Amino acid sequence: MSRTALLVLTLFACNDDSAGSPVSAGTPAGEPGTHVLVVGAGAAGLTVARALDAAGVSVTVLEARDRIGGRTWTVDVGDARVDLGASWAHGTEGNPMTDFAEANGLAWTADETPWSRLYDEYSGSALGGPAWRLMTAALVGFAAALPGLKARYGDTTVDVARDDYLVATGYTGQDARLTQHAIDQWMVELSYAAPVDKKGLIGFWEEESLGGGNQFPVGGYGGWIDAIAEGLDIELGVPVTAVRHGKEGVEVDAGGKTWTGTHVVVTVPVGVLRAGSIHFQPELSAERQAALARLDMGNLEKVVLGWDEAWWDGSLEFVDADVSGVFPEFYDMSEPAGAPTLVGLYGGRFSRAVQAQWTDEEIVAGALDVLATAWGREIPPPAHTAVTHWTTDPFAGGSYVFLPAGASREDLETLAEPESERLLFAGEGTSPDYYGNVHGAVMTGLREARRLGVERFEVEGWEEW
Ligand SMILES: Cc1cc2nc3c(=O)[nH]c(=O)nc-3n(C[C@H](O)[C@H](O)[C@H](O)COP(=O)(O)OP(=O)(O)OC[C@H]3O[C@@H](n4cnc5c(N)ncnc54)[C@H](O)[C@@H]3O)c2cc1C
């Protein structure tokens, strides 16, 4: 009988009482023979692997794709270096990601994107300072009204509160359109990536944020990912299909092989867990399954357009005629990318429709149409393009988690809990405070390394964490 088969028998023999049993913290990191399997080589998986490895623990990372980085992905689009996933560090104070970068000689630069053009398709005009101020006031005003609206409406979707707010302002015509766009796009569909008619009102706009402003990693997120992954044992191209866990250890089926270990840390996105493409034995607790069913994934996507020469000036905000979020923002990323580049961002309702039906050519053509409308002239064909599909990617299942009506912070807390002493979870969607962010993912990696007994991180930049 093979070693694997023996372990299977041991696992199954102890399944009944191991499922749902309380987890003792323990100090596996200090025990010889500890071997941790990490599922997923994104920010969370690489962080937990790096922290354990530095503490002298044997670790193997199993990654489905043929690259590391997960939802951070830096690529060349012509001469431009562009992030197709995360682009910003949202805050640098108390951020283990930027602490690691600083200690390892990686640079970050403040986002000082000039927003030069605000265009309203309905009125067919480019708008100036007063319109920007109205939209900023809408954001501030709606945020201030939220406590009262939450008390009035309870567990519903954000659009219900937005409609109430719009009536209360008394705005009509263009002012109402701009106010709705600021709430729907800036506050919901581009921030949470969620459709405004799905995003839950409870807990909305209450998340923690870090100080230090928005920063770009110089040269893209790839540098950070490569630095943290250096020297780790990573198996690429091995999608995990099954995880078995019991008192004696774990087994993971991936890439036509069975991998054995003492512990497994699963860091795949909530979208992958919701899809059920990984078979857990014993099956995940009813609490975790219910939390997964209540949560959902947002759909932020990018269309990257590169030219040999810039024909525009600054970034663009586009308010489409239906206020439904058609290619609402184009960032001038020429400076961080190192070549003339516009990156269109879209999420929520429009993104769900586009990702389900449009070809890449249609997405590029649609984005160019918006630019032509806003600039009032024909746009030269881009020399290079890239189009993302996080929504339909089987190893992402969307851009990042959001809380629809009916879900709550407790669902994220449930996902953060270990399933057993042997099966632990990390990743953006297990961070109740910072979900949707790379730093949230990194913090969950540190959390699980600590849970496995690492008392002090022997990694430059993390000594104080
Ligand atoms: C378009 C977009 C823009 C974003 N912008 C920002 C931003 O500006 N700033 C910010 O802070 N955050 C941003 N985010 C969110 C950020 O990218 C994520 O929160 C973070 O990268 C998640 O890291 P993670 O390790 O939790 O998950 P992931 O990076 O998704 O890592 C999980 C890994 O698991 C692997 N995997 C999946 N299934 C399997 C399987 N069956 N077997 C083995 N491996 C598997 C995946 O391939 C992946 O490598 C953005 C995300 C997107 C999509």
Side-chain angles (χ1 to χ4, degrees), residues 108-158:
W108 297 73
T109 177
D111 173 5
E112 285 163 356
T113 309
W115 286 88
S116 61
R117 182 162 291 241
L118 167 61
Y119 188 86
D120 181 20
E121 188 186 22
Y122 188 79
S123 60
S125 52
L127 309 171
W132 283 111
R133 281 193 287 282
L134 179 97
M135 290 169 76
T136 309
L139 189 154
V140 174
F142 186 55
L146 276 171
L149 292 165
K150 287 175 183 178
R152 187 172 319 149
Y153 291 108
D155 192 2
T156 183
T157 48
V158 174

Side-chain angles (χ1 to χ4, degrees), residues 68-126:
I68 58 172
R71 284 170 281 165
T72 66
W73 189 15
T74 310
V75 299
D76 290 330
V77 182
D79 290 336
R81 198 97 183 105
V82 183
D83 276 311
L84 296 183
S87 299
W88 288 271
H90 296 300
T92 51
E93 292 164 15
N95 184 342
M97 180 177 69
T98 49
D99 285 353
F100 176 89
E102 203 179 315
N104 289 274
L106 300 166
W108 297 73
T109 177
D111 173 5
E112 285 163 356
T113 309
W115 286 88
S116 61
R117 182 162 291 241
L118 167 61
Y119 188 86
D120 181 20
E121 188 186 22
Y122 188 79
S123 60
S125 52

Side-chain angles (χ1 to χ4, degrees), residues 40 42-44 63-65 70-71 85-88 90 240 269 427-428 436-438:
E63 167 55 48
R65 296 185 173 110
R71 284 170 281 165
S87 299
W88 288 271
H90 296 300
V240 167
E428 164 265 318
N437 290 289
V438 181

Side-chain angles (χ1 to χ4, degrees), residues 39-45 62-65 67-72 84-90 97 221 238-241 267-269 272 277-278 300-302 388 390 394-396 398-400 426-429 436-439 441:
V39 181
L62 303 172
E63 167 55 48
R65 296 185 173 110
R67 63 169 181 85
I68 58 172
R71 284 170 281 165
T72 66
L84 296 183
S87 299
W88 288 271
H90 296 300
M97 180 177 69
Y221 259 101
V238 289
V240 167
T241 52
T267 75
V268 304
V272 173
S277 52
I278 302 179
L300 193 68
E301 300 283 355
K302 295 184 178 180
T388 66
W390 299 104
F395 303 123
S399 54
Y400 39 85
E428 164 265 318
N437 290 289
V438 181
H439 60 262

Side-chain angles (χ1 to χ4, degrees), residues 356-389:
Q357 291 161 17
W358 293 27
T359 63
D360 285 8
E361 291 71 28
E362 288 170 332
I363 292 173
V364 169
L368 290 172
D369 271 356
V370 162
L371 291 173
T373 304
W375 287 88
R377 62 181 166 106
E378 217 174 286
I379 304 299
H384 310 280
T385 61
V387 174
T388 66
H389 295 291

